[in-house]
Amino acid sequence: MDSYIQQICLDSLCLSTDLNDKEETSLFKPPFAINYLEYYNTQEPTTSWIIRHIFAYTYNGKHPYWASFATTFLQQIGFRPEWIESPIIDKDHEYKNIDILIRDKKYAVIIENKLKGAEFQLNQLARYIATMRKDGYSDEQIFVVVLPKYEKDSKCINKKVRLETPRRLAIYKPNKKMQSG
């Protein structure tokens, strides 16, 4: 029995060593070890600027981060990512006070950044929706996403690592279910 346990320990050690080697040599290192926005204590306008730049990133003529966001969060409420294949993103400035706006000629996605805990202004989202209506979008063409504040858990795994618990995104449609277009 002792040789069996020794063999399991040896196999486990080899597997652990192999996994460690793969992680160290992998080109695909996930950037989850640190939240840089939190680490550098960035302010809300800066976080919006960074998100706009991330969504504006193109590879082979596509916007992979925008497409991933749309697929992950918007598809569940009827938005189809192919509706905005070539997004218009003013990455360096807010559009008419909207933190992050992803749009094309037919659809608009308003993203309100509350990651740093800013309070809502009076009728803030309603004003943004009205802005997009004035720009020619109907309610069926407008989606609104609120990025909620990250709250740090008071429990720590150790003195260096804090748990961060994201609240769910709030996704809003100004009108009833979107018709395919």
Side-chain angles (χ1 to χ4, degrees), residues 76-150:
Q76 65 188 339
I77 61 164
F79 182 86
R80 296 194 342 227
E82 63 269 17
W83 287 343
I84 300 182
E85 286 187 359
S86 298
I88 300 166
I89 304 167
D90 186 353
K91 62 185 179 183
D92 291 317
H93 306 284
E94 293 179 349
Y95 178 81
K96 299 182 181 180
N97 295 320
I98 297 171
D99 290 341
I100 304 160
L101 178 66
I102 313 297
R103 63 192 161 108
D104 70 354
K105 293 178 183 177
K106 288 183 109 182
Y107 298 96
V109 178
I110 298 166
I111 302 176
E112 178 56 27
N113 178 3
K114 297 298 182 189
L115 290 172
K116 300 307 249 176
E119 296 292 323
F120 277 98
Q121 301 164 23
L122 183 63
N123 298 319
Q124 183 176 9
L125 296 178
R127 287 194 317 271
Y128 296 164
I129 292 167
T131 296
M132 298 318 298
R133 286 176 181 153
K134 287 178 188 173
D135 284 357
Y137 295 90
S138 68
D139 287 349
E140 290 79 19
Q141 297 170 307
I142 301 170
F143 290 81
V144 179
V145 177
V146 177
L147 301 178
K149 178 182 178 184
Y150 253 58

Side-chain angles (χ1 to χ4, degrees), residues 141-176:
Q141 297 170 307
I142 301 170
F143 290 81
V144 179
V145 177
V146 177
L147 301 178
K149 178 182 178 184
Y150 253 58
E151 295 184 3
K152 291 186 179 180
D153 195 330
S154 60
K155 299 175 187 173
C156 292
I157 296 172
N158 63 37
K159 292 180 181 170
K160 293 183 180 178
V161 179
R162 289 187 184 194
L163 297 175
E164 292 185 356
T165 309
R167 295 190 328 215
R168 294 194 60 121
L169 293 178
I171 304 171
Y172 171 75
K173 275 297 293 132
N175 204 347
K176 52 190 167 181

Side-chain angles (χ1 to χ4, degrees), residues 6-18:
Q6 287 176 340
Q7 187 61 45
I8 289 175
C9 289
L10 182 60
D11 290 346
S12 297
L13 183 58
C14 288
L15 177 62
S16 175
T17 301
D18 288 347

Side-chain angles (χ1 to χ4, degrees), residues 3-39:
S3 66
Y4 175 74
I5 293 173
Q6 287 176 340
Q7 187 61 45
I8 289 175
C9 289
L10 182 60
D11 290 346
S12 297
L13 183 58
C14 288
L15 177 62
S16 175
T17 301
D18 288 347
L19 287 172
N20 188 52
D21 290 344
K22 295 289 184 203
E23 183 179 355
E24 287 180 3
T25 60
S26 173
L27 298 176
F28 305 105
K29 296 186 186 309
F32 60 79
I34 188 168
N35 179 341
Y36 288 101
L37 300 177
E38 192 65 35
Y39 180 79

Side-chain angles (χ1 to χ4, degrees), residues 54-67 84-87:
I54 290 170
F55 285 161
Y57 170 78
T58 58
Y59 181 77
N60 289 336
K62 302 285 184 188
H63 293 79
Y65 297 116
W66 157 247
I84 300 182
E85 286 187 359
S86 298

